Amino acid sequence: MQKLGYPARTIIVFAALLALAVHWVVQPFGKQWIWLSTVCILVFAASLVGWRTRQLSRARERSTHILKALGAATVDIPLNLRTRMPLVLVTGDALASLFDHGASRPRLVFIGDGAIWLRVDRPQDLPEIALAMHQWRDGLPPDGVVLSIAPAFHADADALAQRLRVARQALADASRVVSARLPGYIAVYQRLTRLAPRDANAARQWYSVAAGVPFIDAKRFDAIVRTAEDEARRRADDRYASAHAAALASIIGWTQRAVFGTLTDPRQPAAPWALHGAGWIDCGPASDATRPWERDVQMQTCIAPATVDATPAPWPLPQSLIESMPRRRATSPRIVALAHAVGIIAIFAGAAFIGAGRHNAKLLDRVHADLDRYVSITPDHDAARRDALRALVADRDELDRYARTGVPLKLSFGLYHGAQLLPPLNAAIASYQPPPPPPAVVTLDSMSLFDSGKAQLKQGSARVLVEAVEMIKANPGKRILVAGHTDNVGDAASNLRLSNARAAALRDWLIEASAIPATQFAVQGYGDTRPIVPNDTPAGRAKNRRVEITLVPDTANNTN
């Protein structure tokens, strides 16, 4: 039964929804680009979901026959044991000789001693099959990839190098899709000598080295050669042992140069193989002096190796290589997904906290700026002071609304400090005092009160002065300034004396008519120094001949 594996699409949708929620509710980056960023989030999430869906569909289509074969081959293996057994993907040369074992049709799965061997006919299929195995094993990737190399199957070293580059790229892609670096192993199948061993099983013996970590260590390979040489010395009368030891040293050296170099060269674009082991066996296809290894031997020794016949199938799988295979801990993909979900929540919670902090900082800066602006405006600039006061009232109402109905999410998360600004806002608003009203002024035409050049009130002028008397009686407690003005006709000094005399005459009449003490009155003559219109026309000069009665608050009597 194939399990669901890692719910990548669910995690993508969850992350997208969380991003949209934080973006719209908390608005950590402001409102300027909210719609554009929303579209970007939706398009990016939809693209990821579509890509993942296509990837899984393609892997499922290409591995359907393998999954069926796996199900049939592992039907008797308990589910928990199936997950713990090493699963090895085998690709490269001579797969029919390794898997078919005389079967009427190609076999895809072989259950060996403690391992599941899975056949991958094309190295390019490694990513899809690795992903399918990742799903089939409930989130556990394959334990390793074995590259089977039969040098005699290749026309020359360049053709072999090209196949190796394809395998290198395929393993890099497979490691990427399963998010794990897959261990790589090399199994070299090559007839080393045409001689037959005394013990038929000797030709089926693997000479290998493997480790739990990647290695390229010439000393490890030297140990294999020394083992074969020691065996040849013990069996000095066995020509096969001597020829086998010499050929083994040659094939190991050739493998290091021709195979390991291509798979691990850091200058290649694909990621190098994580090489965990390599093995050689005197077993393989028919070979002659035109094959890559034989050519290398001839170049090194000037001796052409003899033609050899193919080893009858089946050929053994490199069981010794997987004995040191690193074992992975099986972690349920749902547990991994839960951990990722928690991490995503933590990331967006951090974004929400950052956004709330920024919004709170802007709120505090705005309110403090409004308070500083209000305080900096002097009372004599009342229009600007009223504008600043309106801003303070709006700030106070906003903070009061938050106190009554709750703080919005974009300001909350324990970062809201607006409540502490309410007292200074209320105090600043209460401190506003409107300016006193401007002095009341009554302007009287001098010609209606006085004859030209005279300072005595004319008969009948009382009717003109009734309004002034009523204004004075309606504003008790205010000082009364009586000021006289003339046009510019005549001598300035005479005009000044005349304006002062007319103001004094009007003051005396007002004292008598209103019964207000003389101490409340002040008299001032300005002559022609304060015209209200130019004196260049008769109408202008007529307007400038006037007497003004101004009511001024008595600061001595109205101080609180």
Side-chain angles (χ1 to χ4, degrees), residues 8-56:
R9 289 171 292 185
T10 302
I11 292 296
I12 293 171
V13 172
F14 172 73
L17 293 177
L18 196 58
L20 291 175
V22 171
H23 192 51
W24 277 90
V25 176
V26 182
Q27 299 172 2
F29 308 111
K31 295 183 178 180
Q32 294 84 350
W33 305 99
I34 191 166
W35 281 106
L36 179 61
S37 55
T38 298
V39 172
C40 291
I41 291 171
L42 292 175
V43 170
F44 182 68
S47 300
L48 284 180
V49 170
W51 169 79
R52 183 63 176 178
T53 301
R54 289 192 301 272
Q55 186 184 47
L56 292 175

Side-chain angles (χ1 to χ4, degrees), residues 285-306:
S287 184
D288 56 37
T290 65
R291 302 295 103 181
W293 173 63
E294 283 81 354
R295 287 183 179 179
D296 184 77
V297 171
Q298 187 172 0
M299 184 170 43
Q300 298 289 335
T301 64
C302 297
I303 299 174

Side-chain angles (χ1 to χ4, degrees), residues 45-99:
S47 300
L48 284 180
V49 170
W51 169 79
R52 183 63 176 178
T53 301
R54 289 192 301 272
Q55 186 184 47
L56 292 175
S57 299
R58 185 168 57 248
R60 192 176 297 112
E61 290 173 1
R62 296 187 179 184
S63 59
T64 299
H65 60 296
I66 295 178
L67 293 174
K68 291 181 179 179
L70 271 172
T74 59
V75 66
D76 296 328
I77 301 177
L79 184 61
N80 57 347
L81 180 60
R82 183 188 71 185
T83 303
R84 291 198 302 267
M85 286 181 66
L87 187 145
V88 184
L89 306 182
V90 184
T91 189
D93 302 329
L95 298 185
S97 298
L98 302 180
F99 281 88

Side-chain angles (χ1 to χ4, degrees), residues 157-494:
D158 290 339
L160 173 61
Q162 183 60 33
R163 290 292 302 274
L164 293 175
R165 294 188 190 98
V166 172
R168 173 173 174 164
Q169 182 64 57
L171 184 59
D173 294 340
S175 298
R176 177 177 50 81
V177 298
V178 299
S179 301
R181 196 176 187 188
L182 299 179
Y185 300 87
I186 303 299
V188 179
Y189 292 87
Q190 174 65 45
R191 287 296 310 276
L192 300 178
T193 175
R194 65 186 301 176
L195 299 175
R198 293 178 181 178
D199 183 1
N201 293 326
R204 298 293 181 122
Q205 179 182 353
W206 280 97
Y207 290 84
S208 62
V209 58
V213 295
F215 75 93
I216 296 293
D217 191 349
K219 294 182 179 179
R220 294 176 182 265
F221 305 132
D222 292 342
I224 298 176
V225 175
R226 286 196 300 270
T227 299
E229 291 174 347
D230 292 341
E231 185 177 355
R233 281 192 292 269
R234 287 195 305 269
R235 300 161 59 182
D237 57 341
D238 189 347
R239 293 177 57 199
Y240 170 82
S242 300
H244 176 268
L248 181 62
S250 176
I251 193 68
I252 289 176
W254 174 84
T255 304
Q256 289 180 269
R257 294 189 301 274
V259 178
F260 295 166
T262 303
L263 294 178
T264 60
D265 184 1
R267 294 172 296 180
Q268 296 293 328
W273 265 45
L275 189 61
H276 282 247
W280 296 264
I281 190 171
D282 185 8
C283 172
S287 184
D288 56 37
T290 65
R291 302 295 103 181
W293 173 63
E294 283 81 354
R295 287 183 179 179
D296 184 77
V297 171
Q298 187 172 0
M299 184 170 43
Q300 298 289 335
T301 64
C302 297
I303 299 174
T307 300
V308 293
D309 298 329
T311 303
W315 300 347
L317 287 163
Q319 181 70 35
S320 59
L321 289 180
I322 67 170
E323 293 175 357
S324 300
M325 182 174 289
R327 300 295 293 140
R328 304 179 189 272
R329 294 185 60 185
T331 304
S332 171
R334 266 75 69 195
I335 299 298
V336 175
L338 179 61
H340 289 171
V342 172
I344 292 171
I345 292 173
I347 291 173
F348 286 110
F353 274 99
I354 292 173
R358 291 181 58 189
H359 291 310
N360 275 282
K362 288 182 179 180
L363 174 67
L364 297 179
D365 291 344
R366 171 164 56 85
V367 174
H368 282 301
D370 291 343
L371 281 169
D372 293 341
R373 174 170 168 257
Y374 175 78
V375 172
S376 66
I377 300 174
T378 56
D380 55 329
H381 294 83
D382 188 63
R385 194 171 174 82
R386 284 199 303 271
D387 289 339
L389 181 66
R390 282 192 288 270
L392 292 184
V393 172
D395 293 338
R396 190 270 314 276
D397 292 344
E398 179 183 358
L399 299 184
D400 184 64
R401 184 173 67 254
Y402 294 159
R404 289 183 289 102
T405 63
V407 180
L409 281 176
K410 68 178 183 179
L411 294 171
S412 55
F413 300 101
L415 303 175
Y416 178 70
H417 298 289
Q420 64 188 16
L421 295 177
L422 277 172
L425 280 173
N426 288 325
I429 294 170
S431 68
Y432 174 76
Q433 294 292 334
V441 179
V442 175
T443 301
L444 303 172
D445 183 7
S446 294
M447 300 308 295
S448 64
L449 300 176
F450 305 97
D451 292 327
S452 178
K454 303 295 182 181
Q456 290 81 25
L457 289 170
K458 294 193 299 185
Q459 294 292 331
S461 60
R463 294 192 300 272
V464 179
L465 297 173
V466 170
E467 180 182 354
V469 173
E470 291 178 352
M471 181 186 71
I472 292 171
K473 290 183 177 180
N475 294 275
K478 291 187 177 182
R479 297 182 64 83
I480 301 119
L481 173 63
V482 182
H485 301 270
T486 68
D487 56 21
N488 63 349
V489 176
D491 179 60
S494 298

